[in-house]
Amino acid sequence: MLPYLELSKSLAIRGHRVTYISTPRNIQWLPEIPSHLSPLIQLVSFTLPHVEHLPYNAESTKDLPPKEVHLLKKAHDGLEVPFSEFLESTSSGTGINDAERLCSTVLGSEFICIRSCFPMESKWITLLAELYKKPVVPIGLLLPSINGTLIEKTTIGEVDVIDWLDGHDPKSVLYIALGSEATLTPNQLHELALDQGLNSRVLDEKELGVEITRNEGNGSFQREDVAKVIRLVMVEEAGKVFRRNAEREEEVFADKVSHDKHFDDFVGYLENLKCES
């Protein structure tokens, strides 16, 4: 949800009006929109229809164990009619529908936009265009700003994260990203076992990271394997190549000019598409 909110902010910054659609609890969970952008971003909530065995108030994958996520998808499928009626009642020419399945979304679209950039993933962007037989438009990484214009809060409890990081030596902090939608079992939390196989293999291929050895049956892994990989990429001599490549990739991440150009090209693509239609 947060990447879509960053997408909405980036469009609003460029003067476009955006309708952000989700469910009531998910809308409430979103961070506050900056006051200078709020007139251009309309938040619309659709109440999920009742689905048998779906827990009350479950509206996102973080509310459910993995084995029950299919119930959430079924509930979102029930929003197809109200969502279509909403689109018909507005003058909006573009919409994002979480209820659609990936295949039907791709088939029904005129082009695909992805949160990426050519310097980072040109190979995969080109491959997607070949597979989908549609234009694939990267929109940049949509990274939140930390200069106060897009992020107003950098605290966790009473700790300011930026100040805390500034108090540590360079390259001495390990950041573990579990994702805002991740639901872990107590054992997974204990072992830090998170199934990110596809992501880790892409990073492994680019020598930006190392995939942790995992159980072939259930995808889990042990703390000893986690510690071994951390020592390799952060401390050991053999891990220099990963640290060097990560520093190189940091320049791509931090290239705001490039990301802004990707997004401006995306907006231009939308505007041209609207004119053609």
Side-chain angles (χ1 to χ4, degrees), residues 54-184:
L54 180 67
Y56 175 72
N57 271 345
E59 297 183 6
S60 69
T61 54
K62 62 185 174 62
D63 298 325
L64 295 166
K67 65 180 181 180
E68 294 182 5
V69 168
H70 71 282
L71 298 174
L72 187 63
K73 293 180 179 180
K74 184 176 180 180
H76 277 83
D77 285 343
L79 294 177
E80 180 177 357
V81 172
F83 181 79
S84 299
E85 292 174 346
F86 173 82
L87 288 183
E88 291 174 358
S89 67
T90 66
S91 58
S92 171
T94 305
I96 298 173
N97 184 0
D98 283 340
E100 301 273 352
R101 292 291 185 266
L102 176 61
C103 290
S104 60
T105 301
V106 170
L107 290 174
S109 66
E110 299 199 35
F111 72 98
I112 310 296
C113 66
I114 61 173
R115 185 188 179 197
S116 185
C117 61
F118 282 116
M120 182 173 293
E121 295 182 307
S122 59
K123 171 184 175 182
W124 302 112
I125 294 170
T126 301
L127 177 61
L128 276 179
E130 294 173 356
L131 291 174
Y132 291 151
K133 302 188 185 317
K134 295 176 184 286
V136 174
V137 182
I139 61 177
L141 298 185
L142 297 177
L143 298 177
S145 171
I146 58 172
N147 61 9
T149 59
L150 291 182
I151 291 182
E152 291 77 28
K153 182 179 180 181
T154 60
T155 59
I156 299 178
E158 298 180 355
V159 178
D160 186 282
V161 176
I162 304 301
D163 289 343
W164 185 85
L165 287 172
D166 287 343
H168 289 73
D169 293 334
K171 304 177 184 178
S172 66
V173 175
L174 172 67
Y175 172 63
I176 300 174
L178 299 178
S180 59
E181 292 288 305
T183 301
L184 305 183

